[in-house]
Amino acid sequence: MATLSKAPSVHSAASDSADVSSTAPQSLARAVLTRRSEYVRPCSVRVKIGTWNVAACPGTDKDLARWFVAGRGVDENTTRLQTSRNAAVERATGESVDSVRLVGGDHVGLYVLGLQEVVDLSLTRDYVNRAVYTDHSSIDKWQAALEAAMPPGYELVASEQMLGLLLLIYASPEIAPTITNVSSKQVGTGILGYFGNKGAVATRLVLGETTRMAFVNCHLASGAGSNYLERRCWDVGQILAKTQFDPVVHSGVTEDGGERIGDEDFAFWFGDLNFRLDGLPGDDIRRLLTLHARGEYGKPGGNRRQSLDGNRDGGDEGRDGDGDEDEDGIIVMRSSESDDETDGRSQEHIDSDTEPDDFPNDPSQDPTSLQATLDSLLPHDQLKRLIGQRKLFHDGWREGPIAFLPSYKYDIGTVGLFDSSDKQRAPSWCDRILYRTRKDKLGHDTRLREELASKKKDEEMRSRGLEEDDDVLFSYDPETDGDEQAVGNSEVKYDPYDDTTDNRELVEEDVVTKEGYLDHIAQDMYTSHQRITSSDHKPVVSVFTLQYDTVVPELKAKIHAEVARELDRAENEGRPKVTIVVEGGPEDDGNAVDLGSVGLLETATAVITVANTGGVPANFTFVEKPPPEAGEDPVPVWLTTRFRRPAEEGTDFLGRTVTLEPGETILAQIEAQISDIIHLRALNDGHARLEDVLVLRVEDGRDHFIPVRARWLPTCFGRSIDELIRVPDGGIRSFVLDKGIVGAIPDDAAVHCSAPKELFKLTEAIQTMAERCVADESMLEAMTLPRDPGWPFDASTWAAGPTEQTPVKARIVAAMDTDSSVLEALPVELQSSSKLELLSAVLLLFLASLTDGLVPRQLWTKLSTSLPNLTSLPTSAWADIKSQVLELLSSAPNHNIAFVFLTSTVSRVVAEISPTTAPELSGLPGLGRRLSFRRVNDEISRRRRSREKRYAETLGPLVFRANDKEKAMKEKERIIVEMFLRRETDD
């Protein structure tokens, strides 16, 4: 169980202090980390790791609670336990068989269990089925067995299965909430090099936001020969290369890249590693260890075969290969190099002349003790030899002292009785638990770099011809002078077993974690449960005590908030800062800009003051609206912004981006104008409102959001003929506002005129102004009307540009909306030709904004289908066509009247601007007087027809609402309008 102290944690690892008052950029996470001593508390937790190859034997799940959770099944006679001073060992009073019990229950904070062969994969059919189809029956069985034994409140942290491999991790109620970033991966190294019958499952987790732990449960290739040994080494390399955990996430920030085995603070590698004993005959090992298991080694008559209960064994393990009992009582068994691939006899034997003294002994121990026997066997262990040769697990991995019998291979149901089958496998420590700290890994990496640097230096010296120092008595070459341990039979040589390399005395070790915390870890126990007999492997356990710093979430949240405020204050002092002042804004929102009432084409202006109230220069600009996505309607632009200096400093407008020094001010001018027809119609319908938010972006500072709003004034533009005929005297503004109409004018409103009154007023003003233009041209020498046939309805013929026209056009629109005189809205100082251009521009806008047009779409469809090919008809047939058009238009009287009124008015304009005489055309040279006047009249008629055609080309698309705007349809529209502009005397 974990224990948490309330005292602040003390770190030996140095950390930089955070100066939040500094204006230099600083990471919030780093600033919080510098105050970690305020939100972390020391915590101690016991970690119990168990590994067991259950060999797919039935009933093994029933033993799980007994040995892994309850800690029973340890035989004190077959293991060297310091029971008197080991906190992980509890004396079981009143029990003769299970004389000791390991720590368990709620005294363990983290249970980590690795199982192998939880399913039977011996049959090809079963293996293929499990490899292809997911089978959770086995994992459910083991989880249920383990959870039934767990104390109340323990939670499942990780559960990962790969065929026969299963890794389960449970945490106590105190530890489980502090575990994050759990990531589990599988690596198969079995059949064909990647199937899951061999390989590993691994889990990475972060404990208390401070300590990263990795657990690897593996099952390596089996077999005792050298080729199997090489395959086991290959398996380990594949597991290390292919295991990559998910990136760690702290406070919502994801680290770059995933972690591999070696990036953690504490790693634990366990499972059935399958390493064997080399150079010793299996039958002698079995005989020797069986005597120890019976407590008869070194005693008189100790060679007599006897079971653990004191009775003579009736089995055949005392018989030789022919079934005869050995006369000397020595157990003779067959040996094999593989537990599942071959059953041939062992080729390794101890020379008959070998004396007991030839085996390495620990002089401080009793030569007849169990540990002395184990120490004589351990130098033959393949794993320890590979570590010593720096071929495998030499990069910081270590193992606790082995003070227990080999974990493999036993007869199922027996204690201390090794393999008596035909294969007679030699006992071996196949099941192991290794561990490594971050300090171990970094120490190995440092030594490796030093060795490489030293080797490189030696090579450089040799390349320069420098010989070794003659004064050196001995020289060492690690490539040639090491004790090479070749795999062979009687020629194999081994170094004496060294207790110091086995960490015989278990001590605590300080480890600086990846996050910079100081942790302590100690291995309290490493042993096996010999009295668990349901598998041919014995379970192996190791208990660790980990003292670490854990984050207290409530304290960290408090520190995080404090640091965020301090950093924000410090950062704001060094960031650009501007203040916006809106004069005359609403009292409830001092930053809002109210532009008042806005009508069509009218310009509403507001000015705000922007001041640099910070300590550094400020660059700022208004953010432009993003362009619409594909398929979206364009966003109408009705607001424009410009910067200018205060009045006393000049009125010229500046660029889009402005730089202000501290203490300086500038004016931002905001203008609103509605000119887009689509936006106009949406405002009339109530589907849009004049509201927007301008964003003033300060470089390296914060954005300022400025709400802008205005009130839309109702207008006759952008409406239909059916609406406008219902507008009474006084204009549409007062009508809509007094009636509270929102959106379109309802159909049930009373009809006040046969055609839009606004159209009558506008066309009458155009006709009047055309007459005025002709009169002014005849009276004023300085005035000459444009001779282009499209004037005044063709925009390309206008003298004034759109920007110059807009203010006057807005006054004309307002006069139409308020039922005022259109001609009085025109400035007095303008020439009559300019006034006519302005009135014509407003007429074109009015026609284009009509939602249904003078001739609606449905009516135009009837016209276009019923009329013949007009382009091939002579003008003499136009009278009949006009009659057909008027007959079809009669179905919509209001539209018919508006159409006829417009074309007749424009026809009179043509007549006014194109006089019947043209003095400039008379007196043509070479012609008689009579012939000259005939030629002049022909020229006048030609010019009139040209003007009629140009007017028709301009008005046609605005008068008719057609779905199809192809060239043929446009030509038909032009001809219909032109025939109504043509005077009958011209036909």
Side-chain angles (χ1 to χ4, degrees):
M1 177 180 291
T3 57
L4 181 66
S5 172
K6 295 184 179 180
S9 174
V10 179
H11 301 280
S12 64
S15 61
D16 299 333
S17 61
D19 182 11
V20 295
S21 63
S22 173
T23 58
Q26 189 179 45
S27 167
L28 175 61
R30 178 175 174 83
V32 172
L33 183 62
T34 58
R35 295 182 59 180
R36 58 190 174 188
S37 61
E38 301 179 42
Y39 60 80
V40 298
R41 294 293 181 265
C43 185
S44 179
V45 62
R46 268 206 175 104
V47 181
K48 189 173 187 179
I49 300 175
T51 176
W52 191 20
N53 187 327
V54 298
C57 295
T60 48
D61 57 313
K62 304 296 189 298
D63 285 335
L64 190 60
R66 180 178 174 224
W67 71 267
F68 187 55
V69 180
R72 301 181 185 275
V74 177
D75 187 354
E76 193 173 16
N77 295 325
T78 58
T79 184
R80 194 192 70 168
L81 294 176
Q82 301 293 337
T83 58
S84 60
R85 55 189 180 90
N86 195 321
V89 178
E90 301 175 359
R91 175 66 60 177
T93 58
E95 299 180 9
S96 59
V97 178
D98 289 344
S99 58
V100 295
R101 184 172 66 244
L102 301 187
V103 65
D106 58 2
H107 295 288
V108 175
L110 200 63
Y111 281 96
V112 182
L113 176 64
L115 300 175
Q116 303 86 43
E117 296 189 32
V118 295
V119 296
D120 187 1
L121 302 179
S122 59
L123 298 179
T124 303
R125 177 177 54 83
D126 293 342
Y127 174 74
V128 173
N129 288 338
R130 295 182 182 276
V132 175
Y133 304 103
T134 303
D135 183 7
H136 297 287
S137 59
S138 58
I139 189 172
D140 294 339
K141 178 185 71 173
W142 286 99
Q143 280 187 217
L146 191 55
E147 290 173 2
M150 284 287 175
Y154 276 66
E155 298 181 15
L156 178 66
V157 174
S159 175
E160 190 73 14
Q161 180 186 11
M162 183 180 70
L163 294 182
L165 279 170
L166 177 60
L167 177 61
L168 297 173
I169 302 177
Y170 284 83
S172 66
E174 297 82 7
I175 294 298
T178 68
I179 295 177
T180 58
N181 291 282
V182 178
S183 176
S184 298
K185 301 298 177 182
Q186 302 179 2
V187 176
T189 63
I191 299 174
L192 300 179
Y194 63 89
F195 273 86
N197 60 315
K198 293 292 189 293
V201 291
T203 294
R204 189 278 325 276
L205 58 84
V206 178
L207 190 60
E209 296 187 25
T210 61
T211 304
R212 308 183 187 207
M213 307 178 74
F215 303 93
V216 183
N217 174 28
C218 75
H219 192 183
L220 305 184
S222 58
S226 59
N227 55 329
Y228 300 111
L229 177 61
E230 293 175 358
R231 182 54 186 261
R232 285 191 282 274
C233 296
W234 184 86
D235 289 349
V236 173
Q238 291 295 298
I239 295 171
L240 291 171
K242 294 181 179 180
T243 302
Q244 182 169 3
F245 302 110
D246 298 333
V248 172
V249 180
H250 277 319
S251 302
V253 179
T254 303
E255 294 183 354
D256 295 334
E259 290 190 320
R260 296 185 177 275
I261 299 174
D263 296 331
E264 68 288 324
D265 300 318
F266 300 97
F268 304 88
W269 191 303
F270 47 91
D272 185 356
L273 277 66
N274 258 320
F275 289 109
R276 310 304 173 88
L277 294 176
D278 281 338
L280 293 175
D283 52 354
D284 288 348
I285 300 175
R286 283 191 296 274
R287 179 177 60 85
L288 192 62
L289 295 179
T290 300
L291 292 175
H292 277 291
R294 296 204 302 258
E296 298 178 357
Y297 183 78
K299 296 181 180 180
N303 288 340
R304 179 176 177 79
R305 286 280 312 193
Q306 194 173 8
S307 63
L308 290 174
D309 58 2
N311 299 324
R312 183 171 181 82
D313 195 336
D316 61 359
E317 56 273 344
R319 306 180 186 275
D320 58 17
D322 298 327
D324 298 330
E325 189 173 317
D326 192 350
E327 296 178 357
D328 296 331
I330 298 176
I331 305 172
V332 180
M333 292 185 175
R334 294 177 180 175
S335 179
S336 173
E337 293 185 357
S338 173
D339 58 353
D340 53 5
E341 288 81 11
T342 179
D343 58 357
R345 292 183 177 273
S346 172
Q347 299 296 320
E348 302 175 357
H349 299 278
I350 297 180
D351 191 353
S352 60
D353 297 331
T354 301
E355 297 294 332
D357 292 339
D358 293 337
F359 290 97
N361 295 320
D362 186 350
S364 63
Q365 296 180 344
D366 181 0
T368 63
S369 68
L370 172 63
Q371 190 61 51
T373 301
L374 299 181
D375 290 349
S376 67
L377 298 177
L378 286 171
H380 299 263
D381 178 60
Q382 291 178 344
L383 177 58
K384 291 190 175 297
R385 176 164 56 85
L386 291 173
I387 294 176
Q389 293 175 346
R390 302 176 68 177
K391 293 183 178 179
L392 196 69
F393 290 116
H394 59 282
D395 51 346
W397 292 97
R398 46 184 163 153
E399 185 180 20
I402 296 180
F404 52 89
L405 290 176
S407 60
Y408 175 83
K409 175 187 189 324
Y410 294 84
D411 286 348
I412 296 176
T414 66
V415 177
L417 183 58
F418 293 94
D419 187 16
S420 62
S421 67
D422 293 339
K423 293 185 178 182
Q424 294 187 353
R425 299 172 181 86
S428 298
W429 284 280
C430 291
D431 307 280
R432 313 288 275 269
I433 299 177
L434 310 178
Y435 68 100
R436 181 176 66 182
T437 68
R438 180 174 177 81
K439 179 180 179 181
D440 298 330
K441 180 65 166 60
L442 294 178
H444 167 267
D445 294 342
T446 300
R447 290 189 298 271
L448 184 60
R449 287 193 298 269
E450 292 175 351
E451 291 177 1
L452 292 176
S454 178
K455 183 177 181 180
K456 182 178 180 181
K457 183 177 180 181
D458 293 342
E459 292 175 351
E460 291 177 354
M461 292 181 64
R462 284 194 293 268
S463 65
R464 291 159 54 187
L466 299 178
E467 300 295 335
E468 297 179 357
D469 193 344
D470 295 337
D471 295 334
V472 178
L473 295 179
F474 303 100
S475 61
Y476 171 71
D477 186 351
E479 296 184 356
T480 59
D481 295 346
D483 288 332
E484 304 266 337
Q485 296 185 11
V487 178
N489 295 330
S490 59
E491 297 180 358
V492 177
K493 298 181 180 180
Y494 299 95
D495 292 331
Y497 181 63
D498 186 3
D499 283 350
T500 60
T501 62
D502 206 17
N503 296 324
R504 190 58 52 89
E505 296 298 331
L506 300 175
V507 296
E508 289 189 357
E509 180 178 355
D510 296 341
V511 177
V512 179
T513 68
K514 194 172 185 178
E515 303 291 341
Y517 296 91
L518 185 63
D519 290 358
H520 309 270
I521 191 169
Q523 188 180 34
D524 301 329
M525 176 59 59
Y526 186 37
T527 189
S528 65
H529 292 263
Q530 283 292 323
R531 292 193 173 273
I532 302 301
T533 62
S534 54
S535 171
D536 57 358
H537 288 251
K538 299 299 181 182
V540 176
V541 296
S542 185
V543 179
F544 297 87
T545 297
L546 176 64
Q547 296 177 354
Y548 66 102
D549 284 332
T550 184
V551 171
V552 180
E554 295 79 8
L555 296 178
K556 185 178 181 181
K558 179 181 177 181
I559 299 301
H560 188 279
E562 293 178 1
V563 172
R565 287 194 297 268
E566 293 176 2
L567 285 177
D568 186 60
R569 175 182 57 79
E571 185 178 3
N572 287 336
E573 292 177 356
R575 294 175 61 184
K577 180 181 180 182
V578 300
T579 301
I580 297 176
V581 179
V582 179
E583 298 181 1
E587 296 181 358
D588 58 342
D589 190 353
N591 265 349
V593 176
D594 192 341
L595 293 170
S597 299
V598 178
L600 178 62
L601 299 180
E602 295 179 353
T603 300
T605 304
V607 177
I608 62 176
T609 302
V610 182
N612 185 349
T613 54
V616 296
N619 300 325
F620 52 87
T621 185
F622 281 103
V623 178
E624 296 183 359
K625 296 290 183 181
E629 299 289 339
E632 294 183 352
D633 295 332
V635 179
V637 178
W638 63 282
L639 287 177
T640 57
T641 56
R642 292 185 290 182
F643 294 106
R644 62 181 176 85
R645 297 289 181 183
E648 61 273 12
E649 300 181 16
T651 58
D652 293 337
F653 289 104
L654 306 176
R656 293 195 55 83
T657 301
V658 175
T659 301
L660 283 185
E661 296 295 329
E664 289 186 341
T665 60
I666 203 170
L667 301 180
Q669 182 170 305
I670 302 173
E671 295 181 354
Q673 186 182 85
I674 309 301
S675 60
D676 183 76
I677 292 179
I678 296 178
H679 193 199
L680 162 68
R681 292 174 178 173
L683 290 170
N684 285 340
D685 294 340
H687 297 155
R689 304 184 65 180
L690 295 181
E691 294 179 350
D692 204 346
V693 177
L694 296 176
V695 180
L696 184 69
R697 176 150 298 165
V698 182
E699 185 178 345
D700 297 330
R702 74 176 185 90
D703 293 342
H704 294 264
F705 300 92
I706 307 171
V708 180
R709 52 178 174 259
R711 288 174 295 280
W712 173 242
L713 292 176
T715 180
C716 61
F717 288 74
R719 297 185 183 270
S720 66
I721 298 291
D722 292 336
E723 289 184 86
L724 294 178
I725 61 177
R726 289 173 169 80
V727 177
D729 293 341
I732 194 172
R733 285 189 183 178
S734 59
F735 173 65
V736 170
L737 294 176
D738 292 344
K739 296 295 184 180
I741 298 174
V742 178
I745 299 174
D747 296 337
D748 57 357
V751 176
H752 292 276
C753 52
S754 59
K757 184 180 180 180
E758 294 80 6
L759 180 62
F760 293 154
K761 295 179 63 174
L762 188 57
T763 53
E764 286 179 349
I766 290 175
Q767 181 180 347
T768 302
M769 194 55 58
E771 296 172 355
R772 177 73 57 83
C773 288
V774 173
D776 290 345
E777 183 183 32
S778 62
M779 293 185 297
L780 302 176
E781 295 181 358
M783 182 175 176
T784 302
L785 297 180
R787 298 305 176 189
D788 190 287
W791 188 85
F793 295 106
D794 189 347
S796 63
T797 64
W798 296 338
T803 304
E804 300 171 355
Q805 288 184 345
T806 299
V808 182
K809 289 162 62 176
R811 295 172 60 179
I812 298 173
V813 171
M816 296 173 64
D817 292 337
T818 57
D819 199 11
S820 302
S821 173
V822 173
L823 292 176
E824 292 179 0
L826 295 170
V828 178
E829 64 275 9
L830 289 179
Q831 289 185 349
S832 57
S833 59
S834 298
K835 294 179 180 179
L836 181 57
E837 290 177 358
L838 290 168
L839 292 172
S840 300
V842 174
L843 175 62
L844 297 178
L845 177 61
F846 179 81
L847 296 175
S849 68
L850 288 173
T851 57
D852 52 355
L854 292 185
V855 179
R857 183 171 286 106
Q858 299 84 352
L859 198 55
W860 169 245
T861 301
K862 294 181 180 180
L863 280 172
S864 60
T865 55
S866 62
L867 295 177
N869 187 4
L870 299 179
T871 58
S872 61
L873 292 177
T875 57
S876 59
W878 281 10
D880 295 335
I881 299 300
K882 289 172 62 176
S883 300
Q884 294 182 31
V885 172
L886 293 175
E887 183 178 356
L888 290 171
L889 291 178
S890 62
S891 61
N894 305 116
H895 292 271
N896 186 16
I897 295 172
F899 174 77
V900 172
F901 188 82
L902 173 67
T903 54
S904 60
T905 302
V906 174
S907 178
R908 287 193 289 271
V909 172
V910 173
E912 289 293 338
I913 298 178
S914 301
T916 56
T917 60
E920 68 275 11
L921 297 178
S922 61
L924 293 177
L927 295 175
R929 180 178 178 85
R930 184 175 180 182
L931 292 177
S932 298
F933 278 107
R934 183 181 302 173
R935 180 69 177 273
V936 168
N937 290 334
D938 291 341
E939 183 63 21
I940 291 175
S941 299
R942 186 189 65 80
R943 291 196 175 190
R944 176 183 173 87
R945 288 193 296 270
S946 176
R947 188 178 299 274
E948 292 169 348
K949 181 178 181 180
R950 288 286 299 277
Y951 284 7
E953 289 175 348
T954 303
L955 297 176
L958 304 178
V959 170
F960 300 100
R961 291 291 185 268
N963 294 323
D964 189 0
K965 287 297 183 180
E966 293 183 355
K967 184 176 181 180
M969 192 62 65
K970 290 182 179 180
E971 185 66 12
K972 184 177 291 188
E973 293 173 349
R974 192 266 306 169
I975 293 175
I976 293 177
V977 174
E978 186 179 352
M979 69 175 58
F980 277 90
L981 297 181
R982 182 73 57 87
R983 293 190 307 173
E984 294 182 358
T985 56
D986 296 336
D987 295 340

